Amino acid sequence: MRTVYVNGEYLPETEAKVSIFDRAFLMADGVYEVTSVLGGKLIDFDGHARRLARSLAELDMKAPCTEDELLAIHRELVARNEITDGLVYLQVTRGSAGDRDFAFPDPETTEPTLVLFTQNKPGLADNPAAKAGIKVISIEDIRWGRRDIKTVQLLYPSMAKMAAKKAGCDDAWFVEDGKVTEGSSNNAYIVKGGKIITRELSTDILHGITRAAVLRCAKEAQMEVEERSFSIDEAKEADEAFVTSASSFVMPVVEVDGAKVGTGTPGPVAARLREIYLEESLKAAV
Ligand code: PLP
């Protein structure tokens, strides 16, 4: 039985409650973050806290507490649930005004809802998929136009994941105007001639915290990085492909729409980046 956090209280998961009028339940009016835990410490916490603040500001949503308080709650949950390796999920919603209405409630009288819970994932960094690589399909990107805000509107990404499963694959890459935007829950990359290529930041994609850290690591290791969009055909012709996210770190992609990428096995650039990223982020973990 997990201990979870809801609006100032640490409770057994079966006793935690949120109103049926909560804006996230009725309108998907909420934002979230997922921070990984390795060796009992939080990876890239600052990056996640900063992106949360940005998501809240972009949606005119009140922050539930300070960054220091958020860090304390994360640490308390990790300790109470004895998490060595795993994830902390955090969600902030616009709260409940006690009824359903499209208009935002008055932030003076309606407090945001803050929920956090842990997911225990022993051996998170030793996921066998990182050795085998994953297979992706492409799917049209029909999500809304503010993908830079990490909202809980995850129905289409869930549908994309189901389409991938149905096709015997692991994940889906979204394609818009002939170019890959990102993965269903990760940022997408290809490697060609030693160059790491990933879509530039805009409102079209989530500004991945792992993406920022991995690109920093790549540059420090004198690897060449090009931030531009690429097509599925280009991915099929690439030497390597991979995705990044807080929960998968750097994950090699070995097949795109049934075509082998490179040799069809995880490539050296992805393997090296995964190694450097894990090493660097463990050093900086809090
Ligand atoms: N893109 C999307 C659509 C995501 O949902 C995620 C993570 O959930 C990412 C990218 C990767 O972001 P991060 O590295 O911050 O986990």
Side-chain angles (χ1 to χ4, degrees), residues 179 190 197 228-238:
K179 297 285 165 60
I190 55 170
I197 301 160
R228 65 161 175 87
S229 54
F230 58 86
S231 65
I232 288 292
D233 280 346
E234 211 181 341
K236 289 178 178 172
E237 295 296 313

Side-chain angles (χ1 to χ4, degrees), residues 117-181:
F117 58 82
T118 54
Q119 292 181 297
N120 193 24
K121 306 235 178 234
L124 180 64
D126 303 317
N127 185 348
K131 292 261 180 323
I134 61 165
K135 297 176 181 175
V136 303
I137 58 162
S138 63
I139 187 168
E140 194 190 343
D141 199 341
I142 58 163
R143 297 172 301 161
W144 79 324
R146 288 303 307 274
R147 302 157 193 160
D148 56 314
I149 308 172
K150 198 166 168 67
T151 76
V152 296
Q153 305 174 78
L154 296 173
L155 180 55
Y156 191 61
S158 292
M159 289 167 73
K161 202 75 104 176
M162 292 312 290
K165 272 187 146 182
K166 204 169 162 201
C169 292
D170 306 289
D171 205 356
W173 277 8
F174 293 129
V175 176
E176 187 173 55
D177 300 328
K179 297 285 165 60
V180 173
T181 49

